[in-house]
Amino acid sequence: MPRVNRTALLALLVASSCVFLLFQLRYYRNYVTKAGPRIPGRTPGHVTASHLQWQSVKTFLRLSRRFRLPLFLADPAVLGPLERERPPTEARCGFLCGGRAVTSFGLLAGARTYDAAFRLAAEEKGFEVLEVRGEDPRLASLDLLSGEDIPLHLVLRLHGYFIQLVILYERSGDYLWHGPLRLKADADRGFAPFALMEFGRHAGAYDRPRLVLTAVDGLDVAVPRNISDFLAQHRRARFLECRYRDARRFLQLYPDDSSPEALDFRNKAKSLLRLAAKTLARLDVPFWISSGTCLGWFRQCGFISYSRDVDIGIFIGDFRPDVITAFQDVGLSLKHKFGKVEDSLELSFVRDGVKLDVFFFYRDGHLSWNGGTQAKSGRKFKYTFPRFSLCWAELAEVRVGVPCETLDYVTANYGAAAWRVPQRAWDWKSSPSNVQENGVWPLERWDELIQVY
């Protein structure tokens, strides 16, 4: 029997051990580490709260892709840091796991929205689902006071975390709208921390965002291309619906003029308002409907046909010198220019026989005011309002700004009771309840401050 070479045997055993160790390392790298992302703070055998939150979002996104839902990340608490920091290429829960209980997504309603099959699939994955429905304002009118119920929000709960799906509908004014999150009487109010949800305290209006696909914490998700613009819109998105029931009662007492002249004015006013809105949007100048136009929207959901003009307001801080040329370029003729940027600026344009009055508003402590000028005498007038913020609304299928505190605004201008009754005899120098004399322009400066065309 030949003798065994102990040295050769030992070398063979060492080589075999090295090969086996290399095999284990290769297996671990190629298979074990692909089971999921490395979550900071997570140790083998220990599932952290952040990982459960990440896993909930991951499961939701997989379901949405399976059902081809056109959704995007809409959560300001995630988008803000995402805009400031470049996402790392490796998967880690740095943005989605910020200690928040809710993550919000927007769903672009259209040909495809979620259906019963999506909800069933979500429940099979362990989600508990709450659907919040409300009236469809697109079907509401003075004849039909409310529309049918449509889904407005979907809230999904998994592992103690929540996903809010905000459904955005296209409105006739070429913008997206979502409804408020209002629970029915029989709804489970303990289902989710509704007070922490970013969307739903009120209805909202947005431009349709351009979306890009990106990776957030290792998950593929669409986000607005211009995040800062979307976040700015979110801060001022509050939307006020027309008060159809009150308008219907008003029109039963005071029927609207249906003469050919009145119909012609309303058509021209709608066209003029749409043109003004598009022009100011291109300039990025926010505006709101003011004076009689605001009263018409608030009181009767339409134009006051005997007013024969369209009134809008702009804060003087948003004034741009090219406003005049921008309006002239789209076919509006300048009728007059009163005042100056520092005091009582007012512009008036005309198109197809309908006047567009542009009043510039100044802030003074807790008040806001706009000026007026009588061309033949140089007398100045001042109209004072309580400070107000701006909301969105829709008038004649045009998205417009309105004072959020609309009742206070209208009451200041027309009186606590008088605004409820049509006032055909109206003198802009004496009829408004908030008007006051404000001096006289110096005669030597009339050529500069009182320009009539």
Side-chain angles (χ1 to χ4, degrees):
M1 181 176 181
R3 295 180 62 183
V4 177
N5 188 326
R6 293 183 179 182
T7 302
L9 180 60
L10 181 60
L12 180 62
L13 290 174
V14 170
S16 301
S17 299
C18 290
V19 170
F20 183 72
L21 180 60
L22 289 172
F23 175 81
Q24 285 184 312
L25 289 173
R26 181 179 178 83
Y27 178 86
Y28 181 82
R29 290 184 60 185
N30 289 348
Y31 296 95
V32 176
T33 59
K34 285 189 176 181
R38 294 186 294 107
I39 308 298
R42 180 185 174 194
T43 58
H46 176 65
V47 179
T48 64
S50 63
H51 177 63
L52 289 176
Q53 184 176 9
W54 179 88
Q55 193 66 47
S56 299
V57 176
K58 177 183 178 182
T59 304
F60 169 74
L61 290 175
R62 281 183 171 178
L63 276 173
S64 69
R65 284 195 295 271
R66 174 181 160 191
F67 285 86
R68 298 181 182 178
L69 299 186
L71 58 79
F72 65 96
L73 183 62
D75 199 315
V78 181
L79 291 176
L82 194 63
E83 181 188 28
R84 296 189 296 269
E85 305 173 34
R86 185 173 180 178
T89 54
E90 67 173 359
R92 65 180 183 86
C93 203
F95 292 94
L96 296 170
C97 302
R100 299 174 306 277
V102 183
T103 305
S104 300
F105 291 84
L107 173 62
L108 302 174
R112 294 189 62 86
T113 53
Y114 79 90
D115 52 21
F118 172 79
R119 180 167 181 169
L120 179 61
E123 291 172 345
E124 289 175 349
K125 291 293 184 180
F127 283 104
E128 297 173 84
V129 183
L130 175 67
E131 183 185 65
V132 178
R133 301 178 69 89
E135 292 181 350
D136 187 348
R138 299 169 300 174
L139 301 178
S141 66
L142 291 171
D143 298 320
L144 184 65
L145 295 181
S146 62
E148 62 181 18
D149 267 7
I150 56 174
L152 300 178
H153 299 263
L154 202 65
V155 182
L156 301 94
R157 178 171 66 186
L158 182 64
H159 301 315
Y161 295 97
F162 302 86
I163 292 172
Q164 179 189 18
L165 191 59
V166 185
I167 306 174
L168 295 154
Y169 292 91
E170 185 98 31
R171 293 284 291 256
S172 55
D174 193 26
Y175 62 95
L176 298 177
W177 169 92
H178 73 75
L181 203 165
R182 300 287 183 268
L183 299 179
K184 304 290 186 183
D186 58 347
D188 179 7
R189 282 168 167 72
F191 180 85
F194 297 105
L196 300 180
M197 295 186 176
E198 286 283 352
F199 297 84
R201 297 184 184 92
H202 44 69
Y206 294 81
D207 295 329
R208 178 178 286 275
R210 296 182 63 186
L211 303 177
V212 293
L213 189 65
T214 189
V216 180
D217 294 345
L219 303 176
D220 291 334
V221 61
V223 300
R225 179 185 293 273
N226 190 332
I227 292 178
S228 60
D229 179 65
F230 180 81
L231 294 176
Q233 289 192 54
H234 178 66
R235 289 190 290 270
R236 59 175 188 265
R238 185 180 175 189
F239 183 92
L240 301 181
E241 205 65 61
C242 179
R243 309 182 314 151
Y244 285 113
R245 287 180 174 80
D246 292 336
R248 187 174 186 175
R249 285 192 290 267
F250 172 83
L251 292 172
Q252 286 173 344
L253 291 173
Y254 308 101
D256 209 354
D257 187 354
S258 57
S259 66
E261 294 79 13
L263 293 174
D264 180 63
F265 164 74
R266 285 196 286 270
N267 288 332
K268 290 179 178 179
K270 174 181 176 179
S271 175
L272 180 59
L273 182 60
R274 179 183 290 111
L275 187 60
K278 288 184 177 180
T279 303
L280 292 173
R282 283 197 298 270
L283 296 176
D284 196 25
V285 173
F287 80 97
W288 65 94
I289 51 175
S290 187
S291 303
T293 307
C294 183
L295 174 62
W297 170 81
F298 185 68
R299 186 177 68 185
Q300 58 208 66
C301 296
F303 293 105
I304 299 175
S305 56
Y306 56 81
S307 68
R308 298 302 192 227
D309 59 13
V310 174
D311 305 306
I312 65 174
I314 297 174
F315 285 118
I316 195 62
D318 294 315
F319 171 76
R320 290 179 45 163
D322 53 349
V323 165
I324 294 177
T325 56
F327 278 133
Q328 290 175 326
D329 288 344
V330 295
L332 277 68
S333 300
L334 183 62
K335 184 176 177 64
H336 70 239
K337 177 178 179 288
F338 296 152
K340 55 184 178 178
V341 173
E342 297 78 16
D343 181 13
S344 304
L345 182 63
E346 176 188 344
L347 302 174
S348 184
F349 301 86
V350 66
R351 181 174 182 265
D352 293 335
V354 178
K355 193 154 60 80
L356 173 70
D357 288 326
V358 184
F359 302 107
F360 289 89
F361 280 64
Y362 301 76
R363 292 186 172 102
D364 184 7
H366 296 294
L367 300 175
S368 297
W369 63 274
N370 73 285
T373 295
Q374 186 180 36
K376 65 181 181 181
S377 67
R379 293 167 63 196
K380 297 170 60 183
F381 299 86
K382 187 176 185 179
Y383 306 84
T384 304
F385 299 82
R387 285 286 289 264
F388 56 90
S389 53
L390 293 182
C391 288
W392 289 111
E394 185 176 311
L395 172 61
E397 299 183 333
V398 180
R399 183 173 57 148
V400 296
V402 295
C404 298
E405 302 78 11
T406 322
L407 179 59
D408 294 339
Y409 189 87
V410 167
T411 298
N413 209 181
Y414 295 95
W419 71 266
R420 303 174 186 273
V421 180
Q423 304 287 333
R424 290 180 177 269
W426 184 261
D427 186 339
W428 61 271
K429 302 180 300 298
S430 59
S431 297
S433 57
N434 61 342
V435 66
Q436 54 184 294
E437 293 271 359
N438 194 32
V440 181
W441 292 113
L443 183 61
E444 64 273 14
R445 299 192 63 187
W446 279 22
D447 288 346
E448 172 194 354
L449 302 174
I450 305 176
Q451 300 178 14
V452 180
Y453 301 91

